[in-house]
């Protein structure tokens, strides 16, 4: 942080549409040097805040996002943690919710804003949504409360007027500017003429705690979406995947699944073999309640863990994180039932 008390924000450019330009031959959008594109945003000079840029050597379309990049982001943030009041990560929209979820677990003890944003149209285009998203994200990342503490000390996504908790967010639209939703947790802030923060909903942190960065993730996980007619051989082969440690089971409604004995048997065997199975709903809103219907109860009896009202992005990255910490099956199960970063409703 600067001695003169001017806020400082580190802008980390990973790639994504926001910084792309159109290839004149193919018409496809390609990543480009963000430093050059940022010239399209002269408004940045008007901020009463220092903005430094860290650009990835090779910006990526976020469909190429990988846990190694999340570790790189954690290294950048932890290495610069004391120099900045907040961090803005420019990221493709496609996997932004995965990155935000992963970072919320990997940055234990975070007391500063990490705001992810991007855009549906490149920042150099006339009708871009990128400028507004970028400018407001910086404003949020540098905002302080009456005591001088960061106003939003958590990992969040800012997009089209709404600041959402990162590990509660999902991309829901591939065309509209309004591309993200957090169905099970209200917005942390809404940007209109003023930015209205909902202070009760923002994470309460102990500002004296220090950041504990975690770099290891274990990707021996899979998402299995149930559907009527799903075959036994498909599931049994999947559960026999070498090295598999955890399955995110996307069930119906409030956490319900078929009651066929072969299905329940397969689950029991997989759990006995040490595989962790977490139940989340295919519905975007609402909570898994395994005690509500007989069909859910069978899963609970088989040893399946509730994913509560988490997003799939959140459950998947939380599992990668806990397995990356070399936790036992029992410890992972316990921690899946404990909110670590406000990721589910208790
Ligand atoms: N494919 C792009 C990406 O996720 C889409 C975007 O940025 O909106 O990188």
């Amino acid at each position: 942080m600067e001695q003169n008390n001017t806020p400082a924000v580190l802008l980390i450019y990973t790639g994504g549409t926001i910084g792309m330009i159109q290839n004149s031959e193919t018409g496809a959008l390609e990543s480009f040097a963000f430093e050059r594109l940022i010239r399209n945003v002269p408004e940045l000079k008007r901020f009463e805040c220092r903005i430094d840029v860290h650009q990835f050597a090779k910006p990526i379309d976020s469909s190429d996002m990988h846990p190694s990049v999340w570790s790189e982001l954690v290294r950048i943030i932890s290495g610069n943690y004391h120099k900045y009041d907040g961090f803005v990560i420019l990221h493709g929209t496609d996997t932004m919710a995965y990155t935000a979820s992963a970072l919320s677990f990997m940055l234990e003890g975070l007391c500063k804003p990490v705001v992810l944003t991007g855009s549906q149209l490149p920042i150099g285009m006339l009708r871009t949504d990128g400028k507004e998203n970028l400018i407001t994200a910086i404003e949020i990342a540098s905002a302080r409360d009456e005591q001088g503490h960061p106003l939003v000390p958590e990992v969040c996504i800012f997009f089209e007027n709404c600041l959402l908790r990162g590990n509660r967010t999902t991309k829901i639209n591939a065309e509209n500017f309004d591309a993200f939703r957090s169905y099970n947790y209200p917005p942390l802030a809404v940007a209109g003429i003023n930015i209205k923060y909902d202070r009760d909903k923002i994470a309460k942190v102990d500002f004296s705690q220090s950041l504990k960065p975690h770099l290891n993730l274990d990707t021996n996980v899979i998402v299995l979406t149930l559907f009527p007619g799903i075959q036994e051989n498909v599931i049994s082969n999947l559960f026999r995947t070498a090295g598999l440690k955890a399955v995110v089971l996307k069930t119906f409604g409030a956490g319900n699944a078929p009651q066929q004995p072969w299905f329940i048997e397969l689950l029991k065997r997989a759990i006995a073999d040490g595989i962790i199975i977490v139940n989340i709903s295919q519905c975007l809103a609402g909570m898994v309640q395994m005690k509500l219907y007989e069909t859910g109860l069978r899963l609970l009896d088989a040893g399946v863990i509730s994913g509560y009202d988490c997003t799939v992005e959140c459950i998947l990255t939380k599992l990668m994180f806990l397995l990356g910490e070399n936790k036992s099956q029992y410890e992972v199960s316990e921690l899946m039932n404990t909110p670590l970063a406000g990721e589910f409703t208790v």
Side-chain angles (χ1 to χ4, degrees):
M1 248 177 277
E2 295 207 332
Q3 294 303 310
N4 62 11
N5 221 16
T6 303
V9 170
L10 182 62
L11 186 60
I12 306 167
Y13 175 59
T14 66
T17 299
I18 192 163
M20 290 182 178
I21 55 157
Q22 205 159 29
N23 181 310
S24 51
E25 276 167 35
T26 63
L29 291 174
E30 293 172 352
S31 292
F32 197 68
F34 191 73
E35 289 279 18
R36 283 173 70 178
L37 282 171
I38 220 165
R39 287 186 211 139
N40 286 295
V41 197
E43 293 88 343
L44 291 181
K45 294 198 190 79
R46 291 171 49 194
F47 266 106
E48 281 172 18
C49 137
R50 195 184 91 220
I51 304 164
D52 294 338
V53 178
H54 178 108
Q55 177 169 326
F56 272 39
K58 198 178 171 312
I60 53 169
D61 184 298
S62 80
S63 317
D64 278 325
M65 190 44 67
H66 189 271
S68 59
V69 183
W70 299 338
S71 305
E72 182 58 20
L73 283 169
V74 169
R75 260 185 230 109
I76 296 167
I77 291 170
S78 56
N80 288 285
Y81 195 63
H82 297 293
K83 294 188 215 147
Y84 295 94
D85 293 82
F87 301 83
V88 172
I89 301 177
L90 295 172
H91 195 291
T93 55
D94 290 347
T95 60
M96 191 186 290
Y98 288 90
T99 300
S101 298
L103 294 182
S104 75
F105 302 118
M106 296 167 82
L107 294 167
E108 189 185 342
L110 182 75
C111 290
K112 296 186 178 184
V114 174
V115 188
L116 287 96
T117 194
S119 66
Q120 298 280 60
L121 278 178
I123 213 159
M125 281 191 177
L126 204 55
R127 291 181 54 248
T128 186
D129 50 331
K131 263 192 197 186
E132 243 175 75
N133 286 349
L134 171 61
I135 289 167
T136 313
I138 294 174
E139 191 165 336
I140 291 167
S142 59
R144 295 173 182 166
D145 67 13
E146 301 74 16
Q147 282 82 45
H149 292 134
L151 209 47
V152 190
E154 58 174 301
V155 180
C156 37
I157 289 181
F158 179 77
F159 218 86
E160 181 69 3
N161 303 334
C162 264
L163 183 72
L164 306 171
R165 175 164 293 165
N167 58 28
R168 293 290 197 136
T169 303
T170 296
K171 182 175 179 182
I172 49 107
N173 201 309
E175 282 181 24
N176 288 358
F177 289 152
D178 187 12
F180 289 90
R181 284 285 182 288
S182 160
Y183 286 103
N184 291 324
Y185 198 74
L188 305 179
V190 176
I193 294 175
N194 298 307
I195 302 176
K196 286 197 181 138
Y197 294 92
D198 188 341
R199 310 273 279 260
D200 287 343
K201 299 294 176 295
I202 296 171
K204 312 272 176 298
V205 303
D206 168 6
F207 286 101
S208 66
Q209 69 187 347
S210 23
L211 183 72
K212 197 164 164 236
H214 298 265
L215 297 173
N216 298 329
L217 295 155
D218 187 332
T219 52
N220 281 299
V221 294
I222 200 157
V223 180
L224 168 60
T225 304
L226 296 180
F227 55 89
I230 192 163
Q231 290 189 180
E232 180 174 357
N233 63 338
V234 173
I235 301 185
S236 74
N237 279 324
L238 191 113
F239 284 178
R240 271 185 277 146
T241 305
L244 184 67
K245 293 186 184 156
V247 178
V248 182
L249 187 68
K250 289 189 78 182
T251 57
F252 309 118
N256 305 312
Q259 299 188 63
Q260 283 119 303
W262 64 261
F263 179 67
I264 303 296
E265 251 335 285
L266 282 180
L267 293 177
K268 281 188 183 158
R269 215 176 310 144
I271 293 165
D273 287 346
I275 294 176
I276 296 144
I277 303 185
V278 186
N279 180 359
I280 61 162
S281 176
Q282 291 174 30
C283 300
L284 290 168
M287 170 84 95
V288 161
Q289 295 179 64
M290 288 199 276
K291 290 186 182 150
L292 199 60
Y293 295 96
E294 165 102 46
T295 46
L297 208 52
R298 291 273 168 91
L299 299 185
L300 195 62
D301 291 343
V304 172
I305 304 165
S306 175
Y308 301 91
D309 57 354
C310 286
T311 62
V312 65
E313 296 90 335
C314 168
I315 288 290
L316 196 74
T317 55
K318 186 172 176 182
L319 284 167
M320 285 184 191
F321 164 71
L322 294 174
L323 293 168
E325 296 286 294
N326 288 321
K327 305 271 185 222
S328 67
Q329 187 187 21
Y330 174 76
E331 288 170 322
V332 173
S333 305
E334 288 292 297
L335 290 164
M336 290 309 289
N337 282 305
T338 314
L340 303 181
E343 70 273 20
F344 65 83
T345 310
V346 279

